């Protein structure tokens, strides 16, 4: 079905197509019987896929990355499509329109996107009201819900900690885990919060407020140097973070086959190599002490299996969903089960001396 719709969607402006799909999913999310049919068709239930991480149980390791459903408009649709967890946002303390349009671009030959969105969202107060209404109407999601926190554009860097704290305080009752996003390239100055002293102040304020009540993760950019990543690792352990998400979009263009003039964050296939490099570096530095959520260029079951083998506990997708369609989570989970079966057979043959 998606292959029939895709040419029509791709003839439209990318953000317009995104909004239309989101509206359709928002409609679906409020249709209980139809949602159950979708769940039977798209979700994979198998205990072998279950993952325990930062005190939460995930029915499978494939999650929806932040940015696709910023304002929690289609919340119940994502688990029905087979996602093992859902991350909404980035949300900021102040509602903001984001950067001028056009601000989302497809690179179909690269299976990539470039976005200049700029944390466009309804703001923390509106999101809190929406999440409260969702819970009152339908109860908690059947999968963990993450909330990705960003800085309001109007807030000076010197007041960033208070800005994040305001958002966290408003949304604390609704998220199962929270993510500090200091790595988007589309809010001026935001990535400066990855500098050691600024990040130290921010993490100190947020962990001091949380006092371990909910897991707190940090999302980092793929463009950090290895010494900068070492500083992140040091602070993550110092402040007792629950995990890291690697990586956000990149400002680099060296992964592209052809030049692309627009600035902004590049995601999709061209990010895969760097995202995998960062994962390997983090996994080596952490030695299993913290879970890593790997995101960036994950399209196939083989991609998922590689990320898990290289040290990820969970994975997230976004751009692949645009190019491969709503059956992607099911295909990834089914492929992962085949890999697990293959690994089990290989281990058995090895133990019996037949390999």
């Amino acid at each position: 079905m998606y292959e029939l719709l895709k040419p029509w969607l791709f003839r439209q402006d990318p953000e317009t197509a995104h909004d239309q799909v989101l509206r359709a999913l928002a409609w679906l999310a409020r249709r209980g019987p139809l949602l159950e049919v979708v769940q039977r068709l798209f979700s994979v239930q198998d205990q072998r896929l279950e993952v325990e991480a930062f005190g939460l149980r995930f029915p499978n390791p494939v999650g929806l990355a932040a940015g696709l459903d910023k304002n929690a408009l289609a919340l119940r649709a994502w688990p029905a499509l087979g996602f093992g967890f859902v991350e909404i946002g980035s949300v900021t303390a102040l509602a903001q329109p984001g950067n001028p349009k056009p601000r989302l671009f497809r690179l179909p030959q690269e299976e990539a996107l470039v976005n200049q969105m700029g944390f466009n969202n309804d703001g923390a107060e509106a999101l809190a009201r929406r999440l409260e209404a969702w819970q009152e109407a339908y109860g908690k999601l059947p999968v963990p819900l993450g909330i990705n926190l960003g800085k309001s554009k109007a807030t000076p860097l010197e007041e960033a900690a208070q800005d994040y704290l305001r958002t966290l305080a408003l949304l604390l009752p609704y998220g199962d885990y929270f993510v500090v996003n200091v790595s988007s390239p589309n809010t001026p100055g935001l990535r400066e919060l990855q500098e050691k002293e600024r990040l130290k102040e921010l993490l100190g304020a947020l962990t001091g407020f949380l006092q371990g009540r909910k897991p707190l993760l940090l999302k980092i950019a793929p463009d950090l140097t290895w010494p900068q990543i070492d500083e992140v690792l040091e602070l993550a352990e110092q402040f007792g973070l629950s995990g890291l998400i690697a990586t956000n979009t990149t400002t680099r263009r060296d992964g592209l086959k052809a030049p692309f003039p627009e600035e902004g964050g590049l995601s999709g296939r061209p990010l895969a190599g760097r995202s995998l490099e960062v994962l390997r570096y983090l996994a080596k530095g952490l030695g299993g002490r913290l879970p890593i959520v790997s995101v960036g260029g994950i399209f196939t079951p083989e991609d998922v299996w590689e990320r898990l083998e290289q040290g990820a506990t969970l994975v997230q997708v976004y751009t692949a969903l645009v190019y491969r369609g709503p059956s992607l989570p099911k295909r990834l989970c089914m492929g992962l089960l085949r890999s697990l079966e293959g690994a089990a057979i290989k281990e058995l043959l090895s133990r019996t001396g037949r390999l």
Side-chain angles (χ1 to χ4, degrees), residues 296-323:
I298 296 172
F299 279 70
T300 67
E302 292 74 22
D303 295 333
V304 176
W305 185 252
E306 183 177 34
R307 301 299 173 98
L308 298 178
E309 282 196 314
Q310 295 299 319
T313 301
L314 302 162
V315 301
Q316 290 178 322
V317 297
Y318 178 160
T319 303
L321 196 64
V322 173
Y323 286 98

Side-chain angles (χ1 to χ4, degrees), residues 189-230:
L190 183 76
R191 286 191 169 189
E192 293 180 34
L193 292 173
Q194 293 179 119
E195 296 171 2
K196 186 174 182 179
E197 291 307 312
R198 291 187 187 274
L199 188 56
K200 185 176 182 179
E201 178 187 357
L202 176 59
L203 294 180
L206 295 175
T207 54
F209 171 78
L210 277 175
Q211 293 292 314
R213 287 177 288 176
K214 296 283 179 77
L216 184 69
L217 288 74
L218 176 68
K219 187 169 187 175
I220 66 171
D223 307 321
L224 295 177
T225 65
W226 302 131
Q228 287 174 318
I229 291 178
D230 289 337

Side-chain angles (χ1 to χ4, degrees), residues 217-246:
L217 288 74
L218 176 68
K219 187 169 187 175
I220 66 171
D223 307 321
L224 295 177
T225 65
W226 302 131
Q228 287 174 318
I229 291 178
D230 289 337
E231 292 177 350
V232 167
L233 290 174
E234 177 187 336
L235 292 177
E237 299 203 66
Q238 178 183 340
F239 288 101
L241 296 187
S242 300
L244 296 172
I245 300 182

Side-chain angles (χ1 to χ4, degrees), residues 167-297:
T167 305
L168 179 58
L170 284 166
L171 299 174
L172 185 62
Y174 309 109
D176 294 305
Y177 72 89
F178 291 87
V179 180
V180 186
N181 185 353
V182 290
S183 51
S184 169
N186 299 315
T187 296
L190 183 76
R191 286 191 169 189
E192 293 180 34
L193 292 173
Q194 293 179 119
E195 296 171 2
K196 186 174 182 179
E197 291 307 312
R198 291 187 187 274
L199 188 56
K200 185 176 182 179
E201 178 187 357
L202 176 59
L203 294 180
L206 295 175
T207 54
F209 171 78
L210 277 175
Q211 293 292 314
R213 287 177 288 176
K214 296 283 179 77
L216 184 69
L217 288 74
L218 176 68
K219 187 169 187 175
I220 66 171
D223 307 321
L224 295 177
T225 65
W226 302 131
Q228 287 174 318
I229 291 178
D230 289 337
E231 292 177 350
V232 167
L233 290 174
E234 177 187 336
L235 292 177
E237 299 203 66
Q238 178 183 340
F239 288 101
L241 296 187
S242 300
L244 296 172
I245 300 182
T247 62
N248 212 318
T249 58
T250 180
T251 58
R252 293 166 57 174
R253 298 292 185 264
D254 50 353
L256 294 178
K257 300 170 187 173
F260 187 76
E262 295 288 346
E263 295 182 352
L266 173 70
S267 62
R269 277 290 190 194
L271 182 55
R274 179 58 180 173
S275 181
L276 185 58
E277 282 183 343
V278 174
L279 169 63
R280 287 170 174 153
Y281 191 87
L282 290 173
K284 183 178 179 181
L286 288 169
R289 293 187 298 276
L290 284 180
I292 305 168
V293 183
S294 186
V295 56

